[in-house]
Each structure stands twice: as C-alpha cells, then as structure tokens.
C-alpha cells in the first residue's frame, strides 16, 4: 500500500511538470526565469498536498482494510475508458485513489432539462427549430412515461403534426409533406460559419452530460470526449467547452488540438444559447378556414408552396390576436383561428392526369425556363376553362376541403365554430363557381317549384329507359342495355363508340344519340327560363336569371363518397357538340360540400373579369350564394389580376372601395399627406378661379359713378372683406363635414345581398415605397396577401365580430 502511494506521489509530480511543459510550449518557445520559479513553487506545493493526502490515507488504512465494496463516492471517481482525461499513468492513478468529500459538491450539479427540436429544410439546408415549451413538455412527459415509445404518438403544433416518439419522426396531418426528424436535445454546438446552434445527437449528448457531471463533481476539468481518432470535445471549465474538428490537412508537428483543427463552441442546455422558442398556441379553436391557392405551385416571390405561405398567415393572425384581442384572450373568451391549406395544383399536374407529359411533348426546346414557367403556372387558367380538366380541378378542391373537414372534426370533436373559405387569384374563381352551384336543402324544394312554374320546358313525367326505348321503337335493345346496367342517366353519357361496343347497329345508334341530344337541348331552358331575343338577353342578363354554371348533379352524384380519392378516370372525354348554352362556362358536375361556409374571402380575385368575359353584364342585387352569407373581395390597388365586384351590382353608382385600415390604426402617413395635398390643391384652384372670375367681371361690367348715392339698404350691408371671410369659413366647414362623413356614408351604402347588404370591395393601403413606381411592384402586389397583417386583421375582425368580440384599438 505504501509503495503504491509513493509511486502515486511521484507520478503526480511528473504529471504536474508535464502539464506545465505543455503550457510553456503553448505560450512560447522560451520561458522566462520568473515563469520557471513560479512553476517550481507550484510543484512544491503540489508535493506538499500529496504528502498530506498520504498521511490521511495512512490514518484510514486500518479502517478501510476490511471494508466492504466501493462506496457511491468511489464509484463516481472511476470513469469508463472512453471518458478518461488522459491515457497516461498519472491520470489513471489519480482517478483511482483520489478521495474527495462529495457532500458539499453534490448540490452544485443539476441535471440538464432537455428541449425537443425538429429538423426543417430552410434554403436547402437543415435547420433545427425548437418546439414550443408546451409541446416540448408533452414530448418529454411521454418519453419519461415508461411506455413503449413505438406506440406513443404526440400531437404538436396545434394538432397539425403528429410526432411518432419511437421513430423520432414528425408527420403532417392535413397535407402531404416529407416527414422530418425529431431530437431530444440538451447539448449544442456552433461553428464560425453557422448562424445558429445545432444540437448533438441524443447518444453523444448523454456522453457529454455524464462527463460534465463527473468533471463538475470532482472538479477535474480538461476532460476529453473522443468522437473519432482526431475529433474531440474538451471540457476546459463550465463556461468554456470546445469541439475540435480536424482540418483537411493534418500537421504532425502541432503541439495542441487548436493548432490543427476548427473550433466549435459547445453549450449545455437551451437556456445558454440564443434561440427563439415559438409561443404555445391556444388549445381552443374558434373558427376553421380553408385557403385555396391560385395558379402555379409557388405562391410568393420566394417560390414557396401554399403550405409555407399559410403557415406565415397563421403566425401573423396569432400575433394579431395577442395585440388586438388582448383583453378577450386574457379572459379566455377566444382561442384562435385554424388555417388549413388546400392544394389542387399537384393533383392536376400529377401522374393521374398525365397532362404534363402531353404538354412537354409539344413544347419547343428554346427558352426552356420561360416555357416551363408558362406550363406550370399560366396554363392553369386554360386548364380551368377546359371541360376535361375543369372537372378535375373542381373535384380536387371540393374533395380536399371535405376530407380536411372530416379529419378536423375527428381530431377536434368538441369544435362548435364556423367554417370559412379563402381563395387567392384563380382559387377565388374556383370557389365562386363552387359556391354558386351549391344546394341549400331548406330552399331546394321552394326553388324547384318556382322553376317548374316558370319553365315551359319542364318534363311532365320522368321516363325510364324501357319507356324511352319503346318510344323510339327500340325495345329489343332493352335487355342489352340493362345487362350492362345502363340506365337513363348513363345513356345520356354514352358516346357513339360506347353504343357500338354494346352491339347496337348504326340506325338505332343514331336514334338514341338524337334522343339524347334533344334531351340536352331541352335542359337549356332551365339555364335561361325566359329566353327572348339576343339583344334583350344581353340587356337583362343577371346572375339571378342566368346560372353561372350548369349543375347536373344526379342522385348517384349526391350519394357517392365525397372523400374517395381522385382516380385517373376523373379525366373523362368530353363531347364538345353537346355543351349547354349558358354564359361561357363549361357544363360540369359540382360536388356538394359537407359544410356551409360562413364567409368567402377573395384575395386578388379576377372574378369580375371572368364573369364579364362569360357574358354577364350585371349581378342581380337580390342574388346571394345558396349556402354562404358573406363575400369579401380584397385586393391591393396595384394588383394587375384583381377586379372589382360592386360596379357589376350597382352599375349606375360610382363608389370608392372600402379602405382597409392599417393594423396599427389610422391611415398610412403618405396617404394622409396625399389627401391633404389634394384638398389643398383643390382650395387653391377654387381661389384662383374665383379671383379670375371677379377680375373678368370687373372688366366687363358697366361703368358706375365713383360715389354713388348711399341708400339705407347699403348702409346696413357689411363690408365686402367680411362677406368673403364668411364665405370661406362656410366652404371650409362644408369640406370638413364632407370628409368626416364620407366613410360613414360609404359604409351605409347597400350593395346587394351578396354580402348581406354590406360592402364587398375592400382595398389595401399601399406602402410608401410602392407608391413611387406602381409598375415595379405590380407582381409583388399580387402575392402580398399571405404576409399582409392588414388582411389577416380584417379576417379576424369579421370572424370575431359575428361572435360578439369587438376589435380593440391599438395606439
């Protein structure tokens, strides 16, 4: 025992001298005499400390000779081989025999509390984003629950994502997107070129935490944790921990790891790094909103998808709820609004339709990028006007919204709020046509009776297929058609090729096709119940008397499963000869929605232009959507795609659109300055014209005596300057009253029933920089709605106003 202690003292002395030699090499090639004296003095002190320790061990040797196994204190001092400080003998001996009083040091170490992160692609790079504190706590509780992690699924991000704990993967619930990695993080590093801290893997974080605990407990630092033969992490002290990563070229003469490696700063716990933790979302959902994109796969100038744009819009709405509905949110009267994206572009351009391959075969090889951009974006307008692909687009939008609505109801069974829809660009036109052709069950009976009473072309009785064939003298083909389960509706969809494949000869085929054509021509009477001359139709064409689209929903169409995914058969052949006469829109079947929207918001919408091109000159003031009671047309003043709706309802009235207030209150300063200058110029113009008029009258009037006789009436009249002052004051008073009551009068104007008698057109305020050149910001103006806080605030105001929650004014 004594020999071991002596060797321990010698080895300790050697280790101390070796450490100081390393320090001397790091500080410089030549050491001063003062440094040598100081090193000798410190070496002597260390030897004295070892002697005292040896005496202490000799006193306790007899007591510990027959003791049982190692205590917990001794077990802490024994480190695994991969976590030893140095592989030299000095380090192993000191770690084996050194005894430290652990009672006061145990309180210094506190286990790290991990925070959960997920990986996200940002600018083609992996970026680790923290969960909110509430979601991280739920994940940590599930991790520590002791259950099988492969069977644990935790809902995060307001229920829009599910985290499969065993796989450490995060999957979206409402849309298709690649799964992302999830990590339980407690240790982080950041290099010189990194903009944010990156978490270590869970296994290596545990190694770092164990080494940190031992170093802090024993107060032994400069511990090395090897990652590979040339990569390591050194714990210098609690405040300085460095990750050394080898460079591309190794240097055998390097005396320290820092000379031949890149250094990364290492931090412990999320509190020690600068990272923005997103706030927790309220669990209560007051309203559900579906957002449909326009043409192309990208929705903004950064070429992001509808999913990312809706995420930004949702974040903006959450911030506005905290600032503009702070009191109601503090009293727990409101929760939040859930925004869900609806993507139809991927289905249209997917493998099911094959349209991209067909277009690519006929695309010229020149200016490839521009042609690809045209094929992916601008062609969507033509696809929607195509009878073949219009049905695909409408079916996709309706089925996606219905499917999302069912999933949302299943995951939120306590939800009792309303549903609204938002459409941007072409998406607003799709929603407009879809909502126009919905059926209100409460009004369908009354409307059908009215249609029958005023439609002279209504069939007296519904015929069956055998009756039709008997009428045409083709009863012998009844069994052939019934064998293939062809009813009257299926017969109307059959082409000449289909009848030929069934074995129907040429003569009977022509009779059947002629009957089908005559039936379809009769249906045009339902499109235009009162058809007069073409000139009278153009003068009286309204949205009430002319349906925007021809809805041919049958019982089979209503009974089919609305949530069935679209198959390749959704793109069917269309006989262009049999189109119904309407206002330009093709005849397709419009699916029924499983909900009745409370409001329809159109962003940068070309609805007015499309209705005009279809031949509609005026919308009847009494017209409204069958199942939606509110409609808002929101646009930017420089948006080249946006058109107004109110002039189609009130063509003889010129009214300005409603100005959307800034989310911080009032108007923008440059707009107020512009209005002030406009009023000032008008006043100057009136004064100049008045002065010229008075001067002209003074030249043209008759000569009068210089001193006319003064009468009693003239004596009572006030001097001319006083009359001029009174006139100017009256004009100023009238102008001020006009400006103050202008907005109130605009609000009181009733613009039909499309929005329940309220205003429809709402215009955003342009930014000061946009007012310098409106052409330069035209494209950006069409894509600005996703990040517009003014637009988000208008939606929240309309939603919560129906719930009795008033918007708070923010100074």
């Amino acid at each position: 025992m004594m020999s071991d202690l002596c060797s321990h003292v010698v080895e300790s002395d050697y280790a101390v001298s070796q450490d100081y030699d390393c320090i001397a090499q790091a500080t410089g090639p030549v050491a001063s005499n003062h440094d040598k004296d100081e090193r000798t003095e410190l070496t002597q002190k260390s030897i004295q400390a070892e002697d005292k320790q040896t005496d202490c061990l000799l006193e306790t040797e007899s007591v510990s000779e027959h003791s049982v196994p190692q205590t917990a204190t001794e077990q802490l001092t024994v480190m695994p081989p991969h976590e030893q400080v140095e592989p030299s003998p000095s380090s192993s001996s000191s770690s084996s025999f050194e005894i430290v009083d652990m009672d006061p040091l145990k309180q210094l170490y506190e286990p790290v509390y991990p925070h959960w992160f997920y990986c996200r692609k940002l600018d083609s790079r992996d970026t680790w984003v923290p969960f909110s504190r509430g979601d991280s706590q739920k994940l940590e509780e599930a991790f520590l629950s002791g259950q099988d992690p492969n069977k644990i699924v935790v809902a995060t991000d307001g229920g829009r994502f599910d985290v499969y704990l065993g796989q450490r993967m995060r999957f979206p619930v409402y849309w298709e997107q690649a799964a992302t990695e999830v990590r339980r993080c407690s240790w982080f590093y950041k290099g010189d070129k990194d903009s944010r801290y990156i978490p270590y893997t869970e296994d290596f974080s545990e190694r770092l935490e164990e080494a940190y605990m031992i170093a802090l407990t024993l107060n032994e630092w400069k511990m090395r944790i090897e990652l590979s033969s040339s990569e390591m992490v050194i714990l210098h002290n609690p405040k300085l921990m460095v990750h050394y990563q080898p460079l591309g070229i190794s240097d055998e003469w390097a005396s320290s790891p820092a000379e031949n490696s890149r250094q990364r700063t290492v931090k412990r716990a999320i509190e020690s790094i600068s990272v923005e933790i997103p706030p927790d979302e309220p669990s209560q959902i007051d309203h559900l909103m579906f957002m449909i994109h326009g043409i192309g796969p990208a929705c903004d100038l950064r070429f992001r998808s509808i999913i990312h744009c809706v995420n930004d819009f949702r974040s903006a709405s959450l911030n506005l709820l905290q600032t503009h509905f702070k009191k109601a949110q503090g009293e727990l009267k409101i929760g939040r609004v859930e925004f869900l994206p609806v993507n139809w572009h991927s289905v249209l351009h997917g493998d099911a339709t094959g349209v991209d391959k067909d277009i690519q075969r006929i695309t010229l090889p020149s200016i490839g990028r521009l042609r690809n951009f045209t094929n992916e974006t601008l062609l969507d307008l033509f696809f929607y006007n195509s009878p073949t692909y219009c049905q695909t687009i409408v079916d996709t939008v309706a089925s996606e919204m219905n499917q999302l609505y069912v999933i949302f109801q299943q995951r939120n069974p306590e939800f009792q709020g309303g549903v609204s829809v938002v459409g941007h660009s072409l998406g607003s036109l799709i929603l407009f046509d879809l909502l126009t052709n919905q059926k209100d069950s409460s009004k369908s009976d009354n409307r059908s009776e009215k249609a029958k009473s005023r439609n002279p072309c209504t069939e007296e009785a519904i015929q069956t297929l055998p009756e039709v064939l008997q009428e045409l003298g083709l009863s012998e083909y009844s069994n052939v058609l019934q064998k293939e389960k062809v009813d009257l509706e299926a017969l109307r969809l059959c082409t000449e090729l289909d009848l030929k494949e069934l074995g129907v000869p040429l003569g009977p085929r022509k009779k059947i096709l002629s009957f089908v054509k005559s039936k379809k021509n009769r249906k045009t009477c339902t499109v235009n119940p009162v058809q007069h001359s073409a000139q009278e139709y153009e003068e009286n064409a309204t949205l009430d008397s002319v349906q925007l689209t021809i809805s041919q929903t049958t019982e089979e169409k209503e009974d089919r499963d609305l949530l069935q995914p679209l198959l390749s058969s959704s793109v069917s052949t269309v006989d262009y000869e049999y189109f119904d006469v309407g206002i330009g829109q093709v005849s397709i079947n419009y699916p029924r929605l499983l909900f009745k929207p409370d409001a329809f918001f159109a962003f940068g919408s070309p609805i007015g232009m499309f209705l005009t091109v279809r031949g509609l000159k005026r919308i009847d003031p009494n017209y409204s959507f069958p199942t939606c009671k509110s409609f808002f047309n929101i646009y930017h003043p420089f948006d080249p795609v946006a058109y107004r709706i109110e002039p189609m309802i009130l063509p003889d009235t010129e009214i300005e659109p409603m100005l959307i207030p800034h989310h911080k209150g009032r108007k923008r300063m440059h707009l107020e300055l512009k209005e002030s200058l406009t009023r000032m110029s008008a006043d100057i113009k009136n004064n100049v014209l008045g002065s010229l008029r008075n001067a002209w009258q003074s030249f043209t009037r008759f000569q009068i005596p210089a001193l006319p006789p003064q009468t009693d009436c003239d004596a009572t009249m006030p001097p001319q300057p006083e009359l001029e002052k009174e006139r100017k004051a009256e004009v100023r008073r009238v102008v001020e009253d006009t400006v103050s009551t202008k907005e109130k009068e605009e609000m009181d104007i009733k613009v039909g029933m499309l929005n329940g008698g309220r205003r429809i057109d709402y215009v955003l305020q342009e930014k000061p920089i946009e007012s310098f050149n409106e052409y330069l910001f035209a494209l950006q103006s069409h894509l600005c709605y996703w990040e517009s806080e003014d637009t988000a605030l208008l939606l929240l105001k309309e939603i919560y106003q129906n719930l009795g929650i008033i918007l708070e004014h923010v100074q």
Side-chain angles (χ1 to χ4, degrees):
M1 185 69 181
M2 289 295 297
S3 61
D4 293 336
L5 288 175
C6 293
S7 63
H8 170 66
V9 173
V10 174
E11 290 172 359
S12 299
D13 187 13
Y14 171 77
V16 172
S17 62
Q18 190 177 20
D19 289 340
Y20 278 100
D21 290 339
C22 294
I23 294 174
Q25 292 177 4
T27 54
V30 181
S32 62
N33 295 331
H34 176 73
D35 294 337
K36 292 181 180 180
D37 296 338
E38 184 178 0
R39 186 177 65 179
T40 305
E41 182 180 359
L42 291 174
T43 305
Q44 294 176 357
K45 290 182 179 181
S46 63
I47 294 175
Q48 294 177 2
E50 293 291 346
D51 294 336
K52 291 182 180 179
Q53 187 177 9
T54 304
D55 297 337
C56 180
L57 288 173
L58 288 173
E59 292 176 0
T60 57
E61 183 179 6
S62 58
V63 179
S64 59
E65 205 170 19
H66 304 286
S67 60
V68 240
Q70 289 178 321
T71 61
T73 303
E74 292 174 338
Q75 291 177 4
L76 279 175
T77 59
V78 179
M79 294 181 291
H82 64 276
E83 293 182 1
Q84 291 180 358
V85 179
E86 289 286 344
S88 62
S90 61
S91 113
S92 61
S93 59
S94 62
S95 63
S96 302
F97 293 96
E98 186 176 1
I99 298 179
V100 183
D101 188 8
M102 297 291 293
D103 291 337
L105 297 178
K106 282 182 180 179
Q107 300 177 359
L108 298 178
Y109 171 76
E110 294 182 1
V112 64
Y113 191 81
H115 196 96
W116 290 76
F117 282 65
Y118 65 91
C119 184
R120 185 179 66 182
K121 284 282 186 181
L122 187 63
D123 297 333
S124 69
R125 296 183 59 184
D126 291 340
T127 304
W128 287 92
V129 182
F131 285 96
S132 65
R133 296 192 181 276
D135 290 342
S136 179
Q137 185 176 357
K138 289 193 299 183
L139 291 170
E140 185 66 17
E141 291 176 354
F143 176 79
L144 300 175
S145 62
Q147 303 177 6
D148 185 6
N150 294 321
K151 298 181 180 180
I152 299 178
V153 180
V154 181
T156 61
D157 301 274
R160 296 181 297 274
F161 289 87
D162 283 341
V163 174
Y164 289 76
L165 206 61
Q167 303 177 20
R168 292 293 198 275
M169 298 298 289
R170 174 175 172 263
F171 294 88
V173 176
Y174 297 104
W175 55 82
E176 292 184 3
Q177 193 178 19
T180 55
E181 182 184 354
V182 174
R183 188 174 292 178
R184 184 173 179 258
C185 308
S186 55
W187 285 79
F188 309 85
Y189 69 90
K190 186 179 76 169
D192 296 336
K193 297 182 180 180
D194 297 330
S195 59
R196 60 181 66 191
Y197 281 90
I198 302 174
Y200 283 107
T201 60
E202 296 185 27
D203 295 338
F204 190 70
S205 295
E206 291 180 359
R207 290 179 57 189
L208 289 174
E209 182 65 20
E210 184 177 355
Y212 178 84
M213 179 190 68
I214 296 175
L216 184 65
T217 303
L218 301 179
N219 197 22
E220 291 185 356
W221 295 99
K222 296 185 179 180
M223 299 186 65
R224 295 191 179 187
I225 299 92
E226 301 286 345
L227 281 82
S228 62
S229 59
S230 57
E231 189 174 0
M232 68 187 71
V233 175
I234 299 180
L235 308 181
H236 294 282
N237 56 61
K239 297 296 181 65
L240 180 60
M241 294 170 282
V242 183
H243 181 172
Y244 296 96
Q245 191 179 25
L247 295 173
I249 302 176
S250 61
D251 186 6
E252 298 179 355
W253 299 96
S255 58
S256 63
E259 297 181 10
N260 194 26
S261 61
R262 291 192 299 264
Q263 299 183 20
R264 292 175 173 178
T265 304
V266 179
K267 295 291 183 180
R268 176 179 179 265
I270 192 174
E271 290 79 12
S272 60
I273 64 175
S274 57
V275 61
E276 183 179 357
I277 301 177
D280 292 318
E281 298 182 12
S283 58
Q284 176 185 343
I285 300 177
D286 304 321
H287 202 85
L288 176 62
M289 191 166 292
F290 297 116
M291 310 192 81
I292 294 89
H293 65 87
I295 61 174
C299 295
D300 62 357
L301 292 178
R302 288 178 283 177
F303 298 97
R304 297 186 303 169
S305 65
I306 178 66
I307 298 174
H308 297 94
C309 292
V310 172
N311 289 340
D312 286 349
F313 198 88
R314 186 188 305 110
S315 300
S317 68
L318 291 174
N319 295 332
L320 291 172
L321 285 175
Q322 297 176 359
T323 56
H324 292 71
F325 298 89
K326 187 175 182 180
K327 182 178 179 182
Q329 201 172 46
E331 296 175 356
L332 300 180
K333 293 182 180 179
I334 62 173
R336 62 183 175 91
V337 179
E338 183 60 274
F339 298 89
L340 297 180
V342 177
N343 187 0
W344 56 267
H345 183 272
S346 59
V347 177
L348 175 64
H349 294 265
D351 297 335
T353 60
V355 63
D356 285 355
K357 295 181 180 179
D358 298 337
I359 293 295
Q360 193 64 33
R361 283 199 299 266
I362 61 177
T363 302
L364 299 181
S366 59
I367 54 173
R369 293 184 179 179
L370 181 59
R371 295 187 188 277
N372 291 335
F373 174 78
T374 302
N375 294 342
E376 291 181 355
T377 56
L378 299 182
L379 285 187
D380 289 344
L381 292 172
F382 300 98
F383 287 146
Y384 186 68
N385 288 314
S386 164
T388 302
Y389 299 105
C390 181
Q391 185 70 63
T392 303
I393 294 174
V394 171
D395 286 344
T396 302
V397 172
S399 62
E400 282 290 323
M401 287 195 294
N402 287 333
Q403 185 174 2
L404 292 177
Y405 181 72
V406 171
I407 296 175
F408 180 82
Q409 289 280 21
Q410 293 174 352
R411 296 178 67 92
N412 302 274
E414 71 284 352
F415 175 74
Q416 299 294 332
V419 183
S420 296
V421 291
V422 175
H424 175 245
S425 188
L426 182 61
S428 63
L429 179 64
I430 299 171
L431 286 175
F432 190 89
D433 291 339
L434 188 60
L435 293 178
T436 302
N437 290 275
Q438 292 298 298
K439 283 186 176 181
D440 189 359
S441 57
S442 61
K443 299 180 181 179
S444 59
D445 297 335
N446 297 333
R447 289 184 178 180
S448 61
E449 293 296 332
K450 291 181 180 180
K452 289 181 180 179
S453 62
R454 67 172 184 252
N455 190 357
C457 300
T458 306
E459 299 179 5
E460 297 179 357
I462 300 176
Q463 293 179 310
T464 61
L465 181 61
E467 294 175 354
V468 171
L469 295 177
Q470 185 177 2
E471 180 182 344
L472 298 176
L474 304 174
S475 301
E476 62 271 19
Y477 301 102
S478 177
N479 294 332
V480 177
L481 297 177
Q482 289 181 356
K483 182 179 179 180
E484 297 292 335
K485 297 182 179 180
V486 177
D487 56 3
L488 192 58
E489 287 295 333
L491 184 63
R492 291 175 178 174
L493 300 176
C494 289
T495 62
E496 185 175 0
L497 182 61
D498 296 334
L499 296 176
K500 185 177 180 179
E501 292 178 355
L502 293 176
V504 181
L506 178 61
R509 288 203 307 266
K510 293 297 183 180
K511 289 184 179 181
I512 295 175
L513 293 176
S514 177
F515 168 79
V516 172
K517 183 176 180 180
S518 63
K519 289 295 184 181
K520 289 190 174 182
N521 289 334
R522 290 183 186 180
K523 281 190 175 182
T524 60
C525 297
T526 63
V527 181
N528 251 337
V530 185
Q531 279 193 339
H532 302 289
S533 63
Q535 181 179 2
E536 185 177 356
Y537 167 73
E538 291 180 358
E539 294 177 354
N540 300 325
T542 63
L543 191 59
D544 187 46
S545 61
V546 182
Q547 297 180 1
L548 288 176
T549 48
I550 315 302
S551 179
Q552 298 178 358
T553 50
T554 59
E555 293 182 359
E556 289 101 294
K557 183 74 174 179
E558 294 178 355
D559 295 337
R560 75 176 184 175
D561 189 7
L562 293 171
L563 302 183
Q564 184 178 2
L566 293 172
L567 303 176
S568 59
S569 60
S570 62
V571 181
S572 57
T573 58
V574 178
D575 195 344
Y576 287 85
E577 186 179 358
Y578 297 147
F579 284 162
D580 295 329
V581 178
I583 56 172
Q585 178 69 351
V586 296
S587 173
I588 61 173
N589 297 322
Y590 283 90
R592 180 174 57 89
L593 299 178
L594 299 180
F595 55 89
K596 295 181 179 181
D598 292 346
F600 168 31
F601 299 92
F603 294 168
S605 173
I607 293 175
M609 181 269 293
F610 271 85
L611 296 183
T612 304
V613 171
R614 291 174 183 177
L616 189 69
K617 291 190 174 182
R618 182 171 178 266
I619 299 176
D620 194 292
N622 296 323
Y623 176 79
S624 62
F625 293 120
T627 59
C628 183
K629 57 185 179 181
S630 299
F631 173 50
F632 297 89
N633 183 34
I634 303 170
Y635 61 92
H636 191 280
F638 303 153
D639 190 343
V641 183
Y643 291 84
R644 294 192 62 185
I645 298 294
E646 292 176 346
M648 299 189 68
I649 303 175
L650 301 176
D652 300 330
T653 305
E654 294 185 3
I655 53 175
E656 295 292 329
M658 290 296 299
L659 187 66
I660 299 176
H662 192 263
H663 65 280
K664 293 184 179 180
R666 295 177 59 82
K667 294 181 181 178
R668 293 184 183 270
M669 185 176 296
H670 72 284
L671 293 180
E672 292 186 351
L673 181 60
K674 183 179 179 180
E675 291 182 357
S676 300
L677 293 177
T678 303
R679 289 197 299 267
M680 186 183 301
S681 62
D683 293 341
I684 294 175
K685 181 180 178 181
N686 293 333
N687 293 334
V688 171
L689 291 177
S691 301
L692 293 176
R693 190 182 301 108
N694 294 334
W696 177 256
Q697 290 176 357
S698 65
F699 282 115
T700 58
R701 65 186 177 182
F702 294 102
Q703 293 184 358
I704 57 174
L707 294 175
Q710 186 176 3
T711 61
D712 297 339
C713 181
D714 295 335
T716 57
M717 292 180 60
Q720 190 68 19
E722 296 181 1
L723 289 175
E724 187 68 18
K725 290 182 180 179
E726 291 182 2
R727 187 183 65 82
K728 290 182 179 180
E730 183 68 21
V731 171
R732 190 181 298 108
R733 195 161 44 248
V734 171
V735 171
E736 292 177 355
D737 294 341
T738 303
V739 173
S740 61
T741 58
K742 183 178 180 181
E743 296 182 358
K744 185 177 180 181
E745 290 177 356
E746 291 179 351
M747 288 292 294
D748 295 337
I749 297 176
K750 291 188 177 181
V751 191
M753 298 305 297
L754 200 56
N755 194 19
R758 303 170 58 195
R759 297 295 304 274
I760 297 176
D761 293 336
Y762 288 80
V763 60
L764 291 168
Q765 303 180 38
E766 71 272 14
K767 298 178 181 179
I769 192 174
E770 295 174 346
S771 60
F772 287 105
N773 192 331
E774 56 190 41
Y775 293 97
L776 185 62
F777 295 94
L779 180 59
Q780 180 181 347
S781 300
H782 183 61
L783 305 174
C784 70
Y785 307 98
W786 304 110
E787 298 179 352
S788 173
E789 294 177 317
D790 301 345
T791 305
L793 184 60
L794 177 63
L795 268 62
L796 295 176
K797 175 186 174 184
E798 295 298 330
I799 290 173
Y800 284 107
Q801 188 174 351
N802 297 330
L803 300 178
I805 306 298
I806 306 300
L807 177 68
E808 300 176 10
H809 295 282
V810 179
Q811 300 295 333

